[in-house]
Amino acid sequence: MDVILVRHAIALDREEAKDLGMLDRDRPLTTKGRSRMKRGARGLAKLAPLVSALITSPLRRAVETAEVLQKRYDALPLSETDALLPEADPAALAHVIAESGFGSPVLVVGHEPHLSSWVGWCLTGDPGGCLELGKGGACLLRFDGTPGSAQGRLLWLLTPAHLRQL
């Protein structure tokens, strides 16, 4: 199974949102973030033209990023899961993907440091971050079976700028 991880695009600054009385979970994408993600989604679709499922964190900035990707992938069904919240245990996301019955590849939208922790856990068994995804960046992990601890291989890691250039 292939899993493509995408970090949410540029969102309203945490302090700016706080000044507006907005909860962190409700921070939207900025105009710049949305525009860059649209271009990045075009690049991602060239690398992975077929995707079986789109799973996102329920936080607004991730959902809005997933919606940009959803449009690029012809209205692919979108699922939300708490297993992609920033504080979630890496095993929870592996379980969601394994139990979903989705085909390969699965497209996942989430947050740092959770995504890098998940990658570390999948590659080495240690949730210590071994990489960091930039906002709108992506990576592809491959598993011989379902995702699990120390079961994955990193096939590629692309910055947001690289995705936009594709």
Side-chain angles (χ1 to χ4, degrees):
M1 169 171 275
D2 288 350
V3 179
I4 302 168
L5 301 168
V6 178
R7 184 177 178 188
H8 69 78
I10 300 167
L12 184 65
D13 179 72
R14 188 173 276 124
E15 287 303 315
E16 198 174 338
K18 188 176 178 181
D19 291 344
L20 294 170
M22 190 179 292
L23 297 174
D24 181 63
R25 71 175 295 110
D26 297 326
R27 290 190 295 130
L29 295 184
T30 63
T31 302
K32 179 179 180 179
R34 186 175 300 281
S35 172
R36 286 186 174 185
M37 194 65 234
K38 285 178 183 176
R39 293 191 320 262
R42 280 194 300 267
L44 187 59
K46 288 179 182 176
L47 286 172
L50 301 174
V51 174
S52 68
L54 179 53
I55 306 170
T56 185
S57 157
L59 302 187
R60 182 176 177 182
R61 56 196 177 272
V63 171
E64 289 181 358
T65 300
E67 289 170 346
V68 170
L69 291 164
Q70 185 182 37
K71 287 177 185 170
R72 176 53 56 185
Y73 283 98
D74 296 324
L76 185 68
L78 179 64
S79 303
E80 292 181 19
T81 179
D82 288 349
L84 279 160
L85 288 171
E87 66 278 356
D89 178 35
L93 178 57
H95 179 75
V96 166
I97 294 169
E99 296 299 313
S100 70
F102 294 133
S104 181
V106 174
L107 188 55
V108 173
V109 180
H111 313 270
E112 283 294 338
H114 180 259
L115 293 177
S116 59
S117 295
W118 197 76
V119 170
W121 181 79
C122 289
L123 297 179
T124 69
D126 180 1
C130 60
L131 58 83
E132 183 178 337
L133 290 171
K135 291 178 182 171
C139 71
L140 171 63
L141 297 182
R142 178 162 290 160
F143 301 89
D144 289 332
T146 58
S149 178
Q151 300 296 311
R153 295 184 315 274
L154 178 65
L155 296 189
W156 50 256
L157 168 65
L158 294 169
T159 66
H162 287 126
L163 284 173
R164 291 190 304 270
Q165 290 173 4
L166 291 175

